Amino acid sequence: MVEYLFIKKTIDEWDPIGLLEMGCPNDEYEPEIREIERLSYHAKSIDELALDIRQVLIKWFDECLPIEKCYPVALKIWTEYQEEN
């Protein structure tokens, strides 16, 4: 549960599509966060996690963010995950 809450906080702060800024409900990224959480357990590197995050956004929003925008978020999640394990 800690991982989920941390990933939710990280993604919500990032607000990659700007949905929360537009006033959407605070659970707007729920399915994406669950998928990112699942993928974070299996990622073998920060680069892989950044690509996974990018793919999740493409899948759910048809939004193709540059990998450079996904990398800092992947780094934050990866670092937290490594510290807990």
Coordinates of all heavy atoms in Angstrom, one line a residue:
M1 N 0.8 -1.2 0.0 CA 0.0 0.0 0.0 C 0.9 1.3 0.0 O 0.5 2.3 -0.6 CB -0.9 0.0 1.2 CG -1.9 1.1 1.2 SD -3.0 1.0 -0.2 CE -4.5 1.6 0.4
V2 N 2.0 1.2 0.7 CA 2.9 2.4 0.7 C 3.3 2.7 -0.7 O 3.3 3.9 -1.1 CB 4.1 2.1 1.6 CG1 5.1 3.2 1.5 CG2 3.7 1.8 3.0
E3 N 3.7 1.7 -1.5 CA 4.1 2.0 -2.9 C 3.0 2.7 -3.7 O 3.2 3.7 -4.4 CB 4.5 0.7 -3.7 CG 5.7 0.1 -3.1 CD 5.5 -0.9 -2.0 OE1 4.3 -1.1 -1.6 OE2 6.4 -1.5 -1.5
Y4 N 1.7 2.2 -3.5 CA 0.6 2.8 -4.2 C 0.5 4.3 -3.8 O 0.3 5.2 -4.7 CB -0.7 2.1 -4.0 CG -1.9 2.8 -4.5 CD1 -2.2 2.8 -5.8 CD2 -2.6 3.6 -3.7 CE1 -3.2 3.6 -6.3 CE2 -3.7 4.4 -4.1 CZ -4.0 4.4 -5.5 OH -5.0 5.1 -6.0
L5 N 0.5 4.5 -2.5 CA 0.3 5.9 -2.1 C 1.4 6.8 -2.5 O 1.1 8.0 -2.9 CB 0.2 5.9 -0.5 CG -1.1 5.3 0.0 CD1 -1.0 5.2 1.6 CD2 -2.3 5.9 -0.4
F6 N 2.6 6.3 -2.5 CA 3.7 7.2 -3.0 C 3.6 7.4 -4.5 O 3.8 8.6 -5.0 CB 5.1 6.5 -2.7 CG 6.2 7.3 -3.2 CD1 6.7 8.3 -2.4 CD2 6.8 7.0 -4.4 CE1 7.7 9.1 -2.9 CE2 7.9 7.8 -4.9 CZ 8.3 8.8 -4.1
I7 N 3.3 6.4 -5.3 CA 3.1 6.6 -6.7 C 2.0 7.5 -7.0 O 2.0 8.4 -7.9 CB 3.0 5.2 -7.4 CG1 4.3 4.4 -7.3 CG2 2.6 5.4 -8.9 CD1 4.2 3.0 -7.7
K8 N 0.8 7.4 -6.3 CA -0.3 8.3 -6.5 C 0.1 9.7 -6.2 O -0.2 10.6 -7.1 CB -1.5 7.9 -5.6 CG -2.7 8.8 -5.8 CD -3.8 8.4 -5.0 CE -5.1 9.3 -5.2 NZ -5.1 10.3 -6.2
K9 N 0.8 9.9 -5.1 CA 1.2 11.3 -4.8 C 2.2 11.8 -5.9 O 2.0 13.0 -6.3 CB 1.9 11.3 -3.5 CG 2.4 12.6 -3.0 CD 3.1 12.5 -1.6 CE 3.5 13.9 -1.1 NZ 4.8 14.3 -1.5
T10 N 3.1 11.0 -6.4 CA 4.0 11.4 -7.4 C 3.3 11.7 -8.7 O 3.6 12.8 -9.3 CB 5.1 10.3 -7.6 OG1 5.7 10.0 -6.4 CG2 6.1 10.7 -8.6
I11 N 2.4 10.9 -9.2 CA 1.7 11.1 -10.4 C 0.8 12.3 -10.3 O 0.7 13.1 -11.2 CB 1.0 9.8 -10.9 CG1 1.9 8.7 -11.1 CG2 0.1 10.1 -12.1 CD1 3.0 8.9 -12.2
D12 N 0.1 12.4 -9.2 CA -0.8 13.5 -9.0 C -0.1 14.9 -9.0 O -0.5 15.8 -9.6 CB -1.6 13.4 -7.7 CG -2.7 12.3 -7.8 OD1 -3.0 11.8 -9.0 OD2 -3.3 12.0 -6.8
E13 N 1.1 14.9 -8.4 CA 1.9 16.1 -8.4 C 2.4 16.4 -9.8 O 2.4 17.6 -10.2 CB 3.1 16.0 -7.4 CG 2.7 16.0 -6.0 CD 3.9 15.7 -5.0 OE1 5.0 15.4 -5.5 OE2 3.7 15.8 -3.8
W14 N 2.7 15.4 -10.5 CA 3.2 15.6 -11.9 C 2.1 16.0 -12.8 O 2.2 16.9 -13.6 CB 3.8 14.3 -12.4 CG 4.4 14.3 -13.7 CD1 5.0 15.3 -14.4 CD2 4.4 13.2 -14.6 NE1 5.4 14.9 -15.7 CE2 5.0 13.6 -15.8 CE3 4.0 11.9 -14.5 CZ2 5.3 12.8 -16.9 CZ3 4.2 11.0 -15.6 CH2 4.8 11.5 -16.8
D15 N 0.9 15.4 -12.6 CA -0.3 15.7 -13.4 C 0.1 15.7 -14.9 O -0.1 16.8 -15.5 CB -0.9 17.0 -12.9 CG -2.3 17.2 -13.5 OD1 -3.0 16.3 -14.0 OD2 -2.8 18.4 -13.4
P16 N 0.5 14.6 -15.5 CA 1.1 14.6 -16.8 C 0.2 15.1 -17.9 O 0.7 15.6 -18.9 CB 1.5 13.1 -17.0 CG 0.6 12.4 -16.1 CD 0.4 13.3 -14.9
I17 N -1.1 15.0 -17.8 CA -2.0 15.4 -18.8 C -2.7 16.7 -18.4 O -3.4 17.3 -19.2 CB -3.0 14.3 -19.1 CG1 -2.4 12.9 -19.3 CG2 -3.9 14.6 -20.3 CD1 -1.4 12.8 -20.4
G18 N -2.5 17.2 -17.2 CA -3.1 18.4 -16.7 C -4.6 18.2 -16.3 O -5.3 19.2 -16.2
L19 N -5.0 17.0 -16.0 CA -6.4 16.8 -15.7 C -6.8 17.3 -14.3 O -7.9 17.9 -14.2 CB -6.7 15.3 -15.8 CG -6.5 14.6 -17.1 CD1 -6.7 13.1 -17.0 CD2 -7.4 15.2 -18.1
L20 N -5.9 17.2 -13.4 CA -6.2 17.7 -12.0 C -6.2 19.2 -12.0 O -7.0 19.8 -11.3 CB -5.2 17.1 -11.0 CG -5.1 15.6 -10.9 CD1 -4.1 15.1 -10.0 CD2 -6.5 15.0 -10.5
E21 N -5.3 19.8 -12.8 CA -5.3 21.2 -12.9 C -6.6 21.8 -13.5 O -7.0 22.9 -13.2 CB -4.1 21.6 -13.8 CG -3.9 23.1 -13.9 CD -2.7 23.5 -14.8 OE1 -1.7 22.8 -14.6 OE2 -2.9 24.4 -15.6
M22 N -7.2 20.9 -14.4 CA -8.5 21.3 -15.0 C -9.7 21.1 -14.1 O -10.8 21.4 -14.4 CB -8.7 20.6 -16.3 CG -7.8 21.0 -17.4 SD -8.3 20.2 -19.0 CE -8.1 18.5 -18.6
G23 N -9.4 20.5 -12.9 CA -10.5 20.3 -11.9 C -11.1 18.9 -12.0 O -12.2 18.7 -11.4
C24 N -10.5 18.0 -12.6 CA -11.0 16.6 -12.6 C -10.9 16.0 -11.2 O -10.1 16.5 -10.4 CB -10.2 15.7 -13.6 SG -10.5 16.2 -15.3
P25 N -11.7 15.0 -10.9 CA -11.6 14.3 -9.6 C -10.2 13.8 -9.3 O -9.4 13.5 -10.2 CB -12.6 13.1 -9.7 CG -13.4 13.4 -10.9 CD -12.6 14.3 -11.8
N26 N -9.9 13.8 -8.0 CA -8.5 13.4 -7.6 C -8.2 12.0 -7.8 O -7.1 11.5 -7.6 CB -8.2 13.9 -6.2 CG -8.9 13.0 -5.1 OD1 -9.7 12.2 -5.5 ND2 -8.6 13.2 -3.9
D27 N -9.2 11.1 -8.3 CA -8.9 9.8 -8.6 C -8.8 9.6 -10.1 O -8.8 8.5 -10.6 CB -9.9 8.8 -8.0 CG -11.3 9.0 -8.6 OD1 -11.5 10.0 -9.3 OD2 -12.2 8.2 -8.3
E28 N -8.6 10.7 -10.8 CA -8.6 10.6 -12.3 C -7.5 9.7 -12.9 O -7.8 9.0 -13.9 CB -8.4 12.0 -12.8 CG -8.6 12.2 -14.3 CD -10.0 11.9 -14.8 OE1 -11.0 12.2 -14.0 OE2 -10.2 11.4 -15.9
Y29 N -6.4 9.6 -12.2 CA -5.3 8.8 -12.7 C -5.3 7.4 -12.1 O -4.3 6.7 -12.2 CB -4.0 9.5 -12.5 CG -3.7 10.7 -13.3 CD1 -3.7 12.0 -12.6 CD2 -3.6 10.7 -14.7 CE1 -3.4 13.1 -13.4 CE2 -3.4 11.9 -15.4 CZ -3.3 13.1 -14.7 OH -3.1 14.2 -15.4
E30 N -6.3 7.0 -11.4 CA -6.4 5.7 -10.7 C -5.9 4.5 -11.5 O -5.0 3.8 -11.1 CB -7.8 5.5 -10.1 CG -7.9 4.3 -9.3 CD -7.3 4.4 -7.9 OE1 -7.2 5.5 -7.4 OE2 -7.0 3.3 -7.3
P31 N -6.5 4.2 -12.6 CA -6.1 3.0 -13.4 C -4.7 3.1 -13.8 O -4.0 2.1 -13.8 CB -7.1 3.0 -14.6 CG -8.1 4.0 -14.3 CD -7.6 4.9 -13.3
E32 N -4.2 4.3 -14.2 CA -2.8 4.5 -14.7 C -1.9 4.2 -13.5 O -0.8 3.6 -13.7 CB -2.7 5.9 -15.3 CG -3.5 6.1 -16.5 CD -5.0 6.5 -16.2 OE1 -5.3 6.8 -15.0 OE2 -5.8 6.4 -17.1
I33 N -2.2 4.7 -12.4 CA -1.4 4.6 -11.2 C -1.3 3.1 -10.8 O -0.2 2.6 -10.5 CB -1.9 5.4 -10.0 CG1 -1.7 6.9 -10.3 CG2 -1.2 5.0 -8.7 CD1 -2.5 7.8 -9.4
R34 N -2.4 2.4 -10.9 CA -2.3 1.0 -10.6 C -1.4 0.2 -11.5 O -0.7 -0.7 -11.2 CB -3.7 0.4 -10.6 CG -4.7 0.9 -9.5 CD -4.4 0.1 -8.3 NE -5.4 0.7 -7.3 CZ -5.1 0.6 -6.0 NH1 -4.1 0.0 -5.5 NH2 -6.0 1.0 -5.1
E35 N -1.5 0.6 -12.8 CA -0.7 -0.1 -13.8 C 0.8 0.3 -13.6 O 1.7 -0.6 -13.7 CB -1.1 0.3 -15.2 CG -0.5 -0.5 -16.3 CD -1.2 -0.3 -17.6 OE1 -2.3 0.1 -17.7 OE2 -0.5 -0.7 -18.6
I36 N 1.1 1.5 -13.3 CA 2.5 2.0 -13.1 C 3.0 1.3 -11.8 O 4.2 0.8 -11.8 CB 2.6 3.5 -12.9 CG1 2.3 4.1 -14.3 CG2 3.9 3.9 -12.4 CD1 2.1 5.7 -14.3
E37 N 2.2 1.1 -10.8 CA 2.6 0.4 -9.6 C 3.0 -1.0 -10.0 O 4.1 -1.5 -9.6 CB 1.5 0.4 -8.6 CG 1.9 -0.4 -7.3 CD 0.7 -0.6 -6.4 OE1 -0.5 -0.5 -6.8 OE2 1.0 -0.7 -5.2
R38 N 2.2 -1.7 -10.7 CA 2.4 -3.1 -11.1 C 3.7 -3.1 -12.0 O 4.6 -4.0 -11.7 CB 1.3 -3.6 -12.0 CG 1.4 -5.1 -12.4 CD 0.3 -5.6 -13.2 NE 0.0 -4.7 -14.4 CZ 0.7 -4.8 -15.5 NH1 1.7 -5.6 -15.6 NH2 0.3 -4.0 -16.5
L39 N 3.9 -2.2 -12.9 CA 5.1 -2.2 -13.7 C 6.4 -1.9 -13.0 O 7.4 -2.4 -13.3 CB 4.9 -1.3 -14.9 CG 3.8 -1.6 -15.9 CD1 3.5 -0.4 -16.8 CD2 4.3 -2.8 -16.7
S40 N 6.2 -1.1 -11.9 CA 7.4 -0.7 -11.2 C 8.0 -1.9 -10.4 O 9.3 -1.9 -10.2 CB 7.1 0.4 -10.2 OG 6.3 -0.1 -9.1
Y41 N 7.3 -2.9 -10.1 CA 7.8 -4.1 -9.5 C 8.7 -4.9 -10.4 O 9.6 -5.6 -9.9 CB 6.7 -5.0 -8.9 CG 5.9 -4.4 -7.8 CD1 4.5 -4.3 -7.9 CD2 6.5 -4.1 -6.6 CE1 3.8 -3.8 -6.9 CE2 5.8 -3.6 -5.6 CZ 4.4 -3.4 -5.7 OH 3.7 -2.9 -4.7
H42 N 8.4 -4.8 -11.7 CA 9.1 -5.7 -12.7 C 10.2 -4.9 -13.4 O 11.0 -5.6 -14.1 CB 8.1 -6.3 -13.6 CG 7.0 -7.0 -12.9 ND1 7.3 -8.3 -12.3 CD2 5.7 -6.8 -12.7 CE1 6.2 -8.7 -11.8 NE2 5.2 -7.8 -12.0
A43 N 10.2 -3.6 -13.4 CA 11.2 -2.8 -14.1 C 12.6 -3.2 -13.6 O 12.9 -3.3 -12.4 CB 10.9 -1.3 -14.0
K44 N 13.5 -3.3 -14.6 CA 14.9 -3.6 -14.2 C 15.8 -2.4 -14.2 O 17.0 -2.5 -13.9 CB 15.4 -4.7 -15.2 CG 14.7 -6.0 -15.1 CD 15.2 -7.0 -16.2 CE 14.6 -8.3 -16.1 NZ 13.2 -8.5 -15.8
S45 N 15.3 -1.3 -14.6 CA 16.1 0.0 -14.6 C 15.2 1.2 -14.6 O 14.0 1.1 -14.9 CB 17.0 0.0 -15.8 OG 16.2 0.2 -17.0
I46 N 15.7 2.3 -14.3 CA 15.0 3.6 -14.4 C 14.5 3.8 -15.8 O 13.4 4.3 -16.0 CB 15.8 4.7 -13.8 CG1 16.2 4.5 -12.4 CG2 15.1 6.1 -14.0 CD1 17.3 5.4 -11.8
D47 N 15.4 3.6 -16.7 CA 15.1 3.8 -18.1 C 13.8 2.9 -18.6 O 12.9 3.4 -19.2 CB 16.2 3.5 -19.1 CG 17.4 4.4 -18.9 OD1 17.2 5.6 -18.5 OD2 18.5 4.0 -19.2
E48 N 13.8 1.7 -18.1 CA 12.7 0.8 -18.4 C 11.4 1.3 -17.8 O 10.4 1.3 -18.4 CB 13.0 -0.6 -18.0 CG 11.9 -1.6 -18.3 CD 12.2 -3.0 -17.9 OE1 13.4 -3.4 -17.7 OE2 11.2 -3.7 -17.6
L49 N 11.5 1.8 -16.5 CA 10.3 2.3 -15.9 C 9.8 3.6 -16.6 O 8.6 3.8 -16.7 CB 10.6 2.6 -14.4 CG 9.5 3.1 -13.6 CD1 8.3 2.1 -13.6 CD2 9.9 3.2 -12.1
A50 N 10.8 4.4 -17.0 CA 10.3 5.6 -17.7 C 9.6 5.3 -19.0 O 8.6 5.9 -19.3 CB 11.6 6.5 -18.0
L51 N 10.1 4.3 -19.7 CA 9.4 3.8 -20.9 C 8.1 3.2 -20.6 O 7.1 3.5 -21.3 CB 10.3 2.8 -21.7 CG 11.5 3.4 -22.4 CD1 12.4 2.2 -22.9 CD2 11.1 4.3 -23.5
D52 N 8.0 2.5 -19.5 CA 6.7 1.9 -19.1 C 5.7 3.0 -18.8 O 4.5 2.9 -19.2 CB 6.9 1.0 -17.9 CG 7.6 -0.3 -18.1 OD1 7.7 -0.7 -19.3 OD2 8.1 -0.9 -17.2
I53 N 6.1 4.0 -18.1 CA 5.2 5.1 -17.7 C 4.7 5.8 -19.0 O 3.6 6.1 -19.1 CB 5.9 6.1 -16.8 CG1 6.2 5.5 -15.4 CG2 5.1 7.4 -16.7 CD1 7.1 6.3 -14.5
R54 N 5.7 6.0 -19.9 CA 5.3 6.6 -21.2 C 4.2 5.8 -21.9 O 3.3 6.3 -22.5 CB 6.5 6.8 -22.0 CG 6.3 7.5 -23.3 CD 7.7 7.8 -24.0 NE 7.5 8.6 -25.2 CZ 7.7 8.1 -26.4 NH1 8.0 6.8 -26.6 NH2 7.5 8.9 -27.4
Q55 N 4.5 4.5 -21.9 CA 3.5 3.6 -22.6 C 2.1 3.6 -21.9 O 1.1 3.5 -22.6 CB 4.1 2.1 -22.7 CG 5.2 2.0 -23.6 CD 4.8 2.3 -25.1 OE1 5.4 3.3 -25.6 NE2 3.8 1.7 -25.6
V56 N 2.1 3.7 -20.6 CA 0.8 3.7 -19.9 C 0.1 5.0 -20.4 O -1.1 4.9 -20.6 CB 1.1 3.8 -18.4 CG1 -0.2 4.1 -17.6 CG2 1.5 2.4 -17.9
L57 N 0.8 6.1 -20.5 CA 0.1 7.3 -20.9 C -0.4 7.3 -22.3 O -1.5 7.8 -22.7 CB 1.0 8.5 -20.7 CG 1.4 8.8 -19.2 CD1 2.4 9.9 -19.1 CD2 0.1 9.1 -18.4
I58 N 0.4 6.6 -23.2 CA 0.0 6.4 -24.6 C -1.3 5.5 -24.6 O -2.3 5.8 -25.3 CB 1.1 5.8 -25.4 CG1 2.2 6.8 -25.6 CG2 0.6 5.3 -26.8 CD1 3.5 6.2 -26.2
K59 N -1.2 4.4 -23.8 CA -2.4 3.5 -23.8 C -3.7 4.1 -23.3 O -4.7 4.0 -23.9 CB -2.0 2.3 -22.9 CG -3.1 1.3 -22.7 CD -2.7 0.3 -21.7 CE -3.9 -0.6 -21.2 NZ -3.5 -1.5 -20.2
W60 N -3.6 4.9 -22.2 CA -4.8 5.4 -21.6 C -5.3 6.7 -22.1 O -6.5 7.0 -22.1 CB -4.6 5.5 -20.1 CG -4.6 4.2 -19.4 CD1 -3.5 3.4 -19.1 CD2 -5.7 3.4 -18.9 NE1 -3.9 2.2 -18.5 CE2 -5.2 2.2 -18.4 CE3 -7.1 3.7 -18.9 CZ2 -6.1 1.3 -17.8 CZ3 -7.9 2.8 -18.3 CH2 -7.4 1.6 -17.8
F61 N -4.3 7.5 -22.6 CA -4.7 8.9 -23.0 C -4.3 9.2 -24.5 O -4.6 10.3 -24.9 CB -4.0 9.9 -22.1 CG -4.5 9.8 -20.7 CD1 -3.6 9.3 -19.7 CD2 -5.8 10.2 -20.3 CE1 -4.1 9.2 -18.4 CE2 -6.2 10.2 -19.0 CZ -5.3 9.6 -18.0
D62 N -3.7 8.3 -25.1 CA -3.2 8.6 -26.5 C -2.3 9.8 -26.5 O -2.3 10.6 -27.4 CB -4.3 8.7 -27.5 CG -3.9 8.5 -28.9 OD1 -2.9 7.8 -29.1 OD2 -4.5 9.1 -29.8
E63 N -1.5 9.9 -25.4 CA -0.6 11.1 -25.1 C 0.8 10.6 -25.1 O 1.2 9.8 -24.3 CB -1.0 11.7 -23.8 CG -0.2 13.0 -23.5 CD -0.7 14.1 -24.3 OE1 -1.9 14.2 -24.7 OE2 0.1 15.0 -24.6
C64 N 1.5 11.0 -26.1 CA 2.9 10.6 -26.3 C 3.9 11.6 -25.8 O 4.4 12.5 -26.5 CB 3.2 10.3 -27.7 SG 4.8 9.4 -28.0
L65 N 4.1 11.6 -24.5 CA 5.1 12.5 -23.8 C 6.5 12.1 -24.2 O 6.8 11.0 -24.3 CB 4.9 12.5 -22.3 CG 3.6 13.1 -21.8 CD1 3.6 12.9 -20.2 CD2 3.4 14.5 -22.1
P66 N 7.4 13.1 -24.3 CA 8.8 12.8 -24.5 C 9.3 12.0 -23.3 O 8.9 12.3 -22.1 CB 9.5 14.2 -24.6 CG 8.4 15.1 -24.8 CD 7.1 14.6 -24.3
I67 N 10.2 11.1 -23.5 CA 10.8 10.3 -22.5 C 11.4 11.2 -21.4 O 11.4 10.8 -20.2 CB 11.7 9.2 -23.0 CG1 12.0 8.1 -22.0 CG2 13.0 9.8 -23.5 CD1 10.8 7.3 -21.7
E68 N 11.9 12.3 -21.8 CA 12.6 13.2 -20.8 C 11.6 13.7 -19.8 O 12.0 14.1 -18.7 CB 13.2 14.4 -21.6 CG 14.3 14.1 -22.5 CD 13.8 13.6 -23.9 OE1 12.6 13.8 -24.2 OE2 14.6 13.0 -24.6
K69 N 10.3 13.8 -20.1 CA 9.3 14.2 -19.1 C 9.0 13.0 -18.2 O 8.5 13.3 -17.1 CB 8.1 14.7 -19.8 CG 8.3 16.0 -20.5 CD 7.1 16.7 -20.8 CE 7.4 18.0 -21.6 NZ 7.2 19.2 -20.8
C70 N 9.1 11.8 -18.6 CA 8.8 10.7 -17.8 C 9.9 10.2 -16.9 O 9.7 9.7 -15.8 CB 8.4 9.5 -18.7 SG 7.0 9.8 -19.8
Y71 N 11.1 10.5 -17.3 CA 12.3 10.1 -16.6 C 12.4 10.6 -15.1 O 12.6 9.8 -14.2 CB 13.6 10.4 -17.3 CG 14.8 9.8 -16.7 CD1 15.2 8.5 -17.1 CD2 15.6 10.4 -15.8 CE1 16.3 7.9 -16.6 CE2 16.7 9.8 -15.2 CZ 17.0 8.5 -15.6 OH 18.1 7.9 -15.0
P72 N 12.2 11.9 -14.9 CA 12.2 12.3 -13.4 C 11.2 11.6 -12.5 O 11.5 11.3 -11.4 CB 12.0 13.8 -13.5 CG 12.3 14.2 -14.9 CD 12.0 13.0 -15.8
V73 N 10.1 11.3 -13.1 CA 9.0 10.6 -12.3 C 9.5 9.2 -12.1 O 9.3 8.6 -11.0 CB 7.7 10.7 -13.0 CG1 6.6 9.9 -12.3 CG2 7.2 12.1 -13.1
A74 N 10.0 8.5 -13.1 CA 10.5 7.2 -13.0 C 11.6 7.1 -11.9 O 11.7 6.2 -11.1 CB 11.0 6.7 -14.3
L75 N 12.5 8.1 -12.0 CA 13.6 8.1 -11.0 C 13.1 8.2 -9.6 O 13.6 7.5 -8.7 CB 14.5 9.3 -11.3 CG 15.7 9.6 -10.4 CD1 16.6 8.4 -10.3 CD2 16.4 10.8 -10.8
K76 N 12.1 9.1 -9.4 CA 11.5 9.3 -8.1 C 10.9 8.0 -7.6 O 11.1 7.5 -6.4 CB 10.5 10.4 -8.1 CG 10.0 10.9 -6.8 CD 9.2 12.1 -6.9 CE 8.8 12.6 -5.6 NZ 8.0 13.9 -5.7
I77 N 10.1 7.3 -8.4 CA 9.5 6.1 -8.0 C 10.5 5.0 -7.8 O 10.4 4.2 -6.8 CB 8.4 5.6 -9.1 CG1 7.3 6.6 -9.1 CG2 7.9 4.2 -8.9 CD1 6.3 6.5 -10.3
W78 N 11.5 4.9 -8.7 CA 12.5 3.9 -8.6 C 13.3 4.0 -7.3 O 13.5 3.0 -6.6 CB 13.4 4.0 -9.8 CG 14.6 3.0 -9.8 CD1 15.8 3.2 -9.3 CD2 14.6 1.7 -10.4 NE1 16.6 2.1 -9.5 CE2 15.8 1.1 -10.1 CE3 13.6 0.9 -11.0 CZ2 16.2 -0.1 -10.5 CZ3 13.9 -0.4 -11.4 CH2 15.2 -0.9 -11.2
T79 N 13.7 5.2 -7.0 CA 14.5 5.5 -5.8 C 13.7 5.1 -4.6 O 14.2 4.5 -3.6 CB 14.9 7.0 -5.7 OG1 15.6 7.3 -6.9 CG2 15.7 7.3 -4.5
E80 N 12.4 5.4 -4.5 CA 11.6 5.1 -3.4 C 11.4 3.6 -3.2 O 11.5 3.0 -2.2 CB 10.2 5.7 -3.5 CG 9.2 5.4 -2.4 CD 9.5 6.0 -1.1 OE1 10.4 7.0 -1.0 OE2 8.9 5.6 -0.1
Y81 N 11.2 2.9 -4.4 CA 11.1 1.5 -4.4 C 12.4 0.8 -3.9 O 12.3 -0.2 -3.1 CB 10.7 1.0 -5.8 CG 10.5 -0.5 -5.8 CD1 9.4 -1.1 -5.3 CD2 11.5 -1.3 -6.4 CE1 9.2 -2.5 -5.3 CE2 11.3 -2.7 -6.5 CZ 10.2 -3.3 -5.9 OH 10.1 -4.6 -5.9
Q82 N 13.5 1.3 -4.3 CA 14.8 0.7 -3.9 C 15.1 0.9 -2.4 O 15.6 0.0 -1.8 CB 15.9 1.3 -4.8 CG 15.9 1.0 -6.2 CD 15.8 -0.5 -6.5 OE1 16.5 -1.3 -6.0 NE2 14.9 -0.9 -7.4
E83 N 14.7 2.0 -1.9 CA 14.8 2.3 -0.5 C 14.0 1.4 0.4 O 14.4 1.0 1.5 CB 14.5 3.8 -0.2 CG 15.6 4.7 -0.7 CD 15.2 6.2 -0.5 OE1 14.2 6.5 0.1 OE2 16.0 7.0 -1.0
E84 N 12.8 1.0 -0.1 CA 11.9 0.2 0.7 C 12.4 -1.3 0.6 O 12.0 -2.0 1.5 CB 10.5 0.3 0.2 CG 9.9 1.6 0.6 CD 8.4 1.7 0.2 OE1 7.9 0.7 -0.2 OE2 7.8 2.8 0.4
N85 N 13.1 -1.7 -0.4 CA 13.5 -3.1 -0.5 C 14.9 -3.2 -0.3 O 15.8 -3.5 0.0 CB 13.1 -3.6 -1.9 CG 11.6 -3.6 -2.1 OD1 10.9 -4.1 -1.2 ND2 11.1 -3.1 -3.1

